[in-house]
Amino acid sequence: MPNETPIDLAFAEMDAAQSDEAARLVYFERLADAELFLLLEEEAEGERIKPEVFETPAGQFLLVFDREERLSAFTGKPAPFVALSGRVIANLIQGQDIGLGVNLGVEGGENLITPDMLDWLLQTLEHAPEEAAELPVEVARPKALPDALLNALDRKLPTAAGLASKAFLAEVTYKSGRRGHLLAYLDAKLGAQEALAKATNEALVFSGIDAGELDVVFLRSDDPIAERLARVALVFDLPEPAVAPEPAAPKAPGTDPNSPPILR
């Protein structure tokens, strides 16, 4: 399929190995993080949107596409839409017995996601990291980390653009004697700690590793342990956020996480 998107690639992997739980997790992670174009019945009014609901023998579905031109090709004419993340769309229709039709009309990429699947996705996304307070006394280069976890971090950390400068992944031994792995974020922005901890937890969950653990800590560049970690850890550089053009265009519904769109 020409011009494949990350969702296309993840769907092909899942479709080729339908018993592979790891492939299914990667697909749904891509779907949750992606910007999707949701087909509307009419133009949005401020933060209020009215999605087009399609009745099928399998139930009711909203239609989303991961490229605007795919939506246009499906409708065959100009149609109203709104761009939202997959997780926002799933939350909007939670408990309404409505599924998602993803990339309908795209050969080898179209998929119907049932309400039960969306409920499972939202439950997975609601997993919260546990807080702990232990003091690392030894740090070392991480050994024998599963590729699934490293790949999950490679996928997830770019979504934290601008929230911290970088992240260090290291093996640690705590004062209590417990050993484990630590992901240390450097110079996290004010108010970003919760989002970074949640992103890390999602990477662990969507890696498919059973009973996996990954501790998270937030450090400043001048913390003594930061220098020690820099010498031995795997380093993930977080990308800089995209700079909005000037003058800034009006925000589309749902682009402000503190003001999600409202169904009407």
Side-chain angles (χ1 to χ4, degrees):
M1 187 184 350
N3 301 318
E4 290 177 313
T5 65
I7 288 179
D8 292 335
L9 297 172
F11 178 77
E13 291 283 342
M14 180 179 70
D15 196 45
Q18 297 189 15
S19 61
D20 187 344
E21 179 68 9
R24 184 171 80 107
L25 288 168
V26 169
Y27 173 76
F28 278 96
E29 181 189 23
R30 290 290 194 194
L31 195 69
D33 286 341
E35 179 183 62
L36 300 176
F37 298 92
L38 171 65
L39 183 62
L40 300 181
E41 186 175 316
E42 57 190 49
E43 293 290 349
E45 295 179 2
E47 292 297 318
R48 295 185 178 273
I49 62 173
K50 189 174 184 180
E52 185 85 40
V53 180
F54 286 79
E55 299 279 353
T56 77
Q60 294 183 318
F61 291 86
L62 306 187
L63 299 192
V64 296
F65 301 83
D66 59 356
R67 285 185 175 167
E68 184 180 341
E69 57 265 31
R70 290 179 168 182
L71 183 150
S72 299
F74 178 83
T75 60
K77 60 182 181 181
F81 66 86
V82 66
L84 302 168
S85 72
R87 69 183 64 224
V88 168
I89 295 171
N91 272 292
L92 283 176
I93 57 176
Q94 184 176 18
Q96 298 185 44
D97 200 29
I98 297 175
L100 284 183
V102 181
N103 285 334
L104 297 193
V106 177
E107 184 179 356
E110 58 184 6
N111 189 25
L112 288 179
I113 299 176
T114 65
D116 286 346
M117 292 179 186
L118 287 179
D119 287 344
W120 167 85
L121 175 61
L122 289 171
Q123 289 169 9
T124 302
L125 293 171
E126 286 171 1
H127 257 331
E130 295 182 5
E131 293 186 13
E134 287 195 80
L135 179 66
V137 293
E138 295 180 17
V139 297
R141 188 166 185 82
K143 301 186 293 289
L145 281 172
D147 287 342
L149 176 58
L150 295 176
N151 291 337
L153 289 170
D154 277 335
R155 291 192 304 269
K156 182 62 67 174
L157 291 183
T159 68
L163 298 185
S165 61
K166 60 185 62 181
F168 295 134
L169 179 60
E171 185 177 294
V172 295
T173 302
Y174 293 101
K175 191 173 183 179
S176 65
R178 183 173 71 88
R179 298 172 65 87
H181 286 93
L182 176 75
L183 189 68
Y185 287 100
L186 200 64
D187 297 326
K189 296 291 189 290
L190 184 65
Q193 293 189 1
E194 182 179 351
L196 289 168
K198 193 172 189 305
T200 306
N201 190 67
E202 285 185 12
L204 185 61
V205 169
F206 283 111
S207 73
I209 300 171
D210 292 331
E213 276 190 16
L214 183 60
D215 299 327
V216 176
V217 69
F218 301 95
L219 303 174
R220 299 186 309 274
S221 298
D222 57 358
D223 283 329
I225 194 171
E227 184 179 345
R228 293 166 57 196
L229 285 167
R231 290 197 295 264
V232 299
L234 292 179
V235 181
F236 295 86
D237 288 313
L238 275 64
E240 290 294 323
V243 178
E246 295 293 343
K251 291 185 177 180
T255 54
D256 181 354
N258 296 314
S259 181
I262 302 168
L263 294 180
R264 57 186 177 88

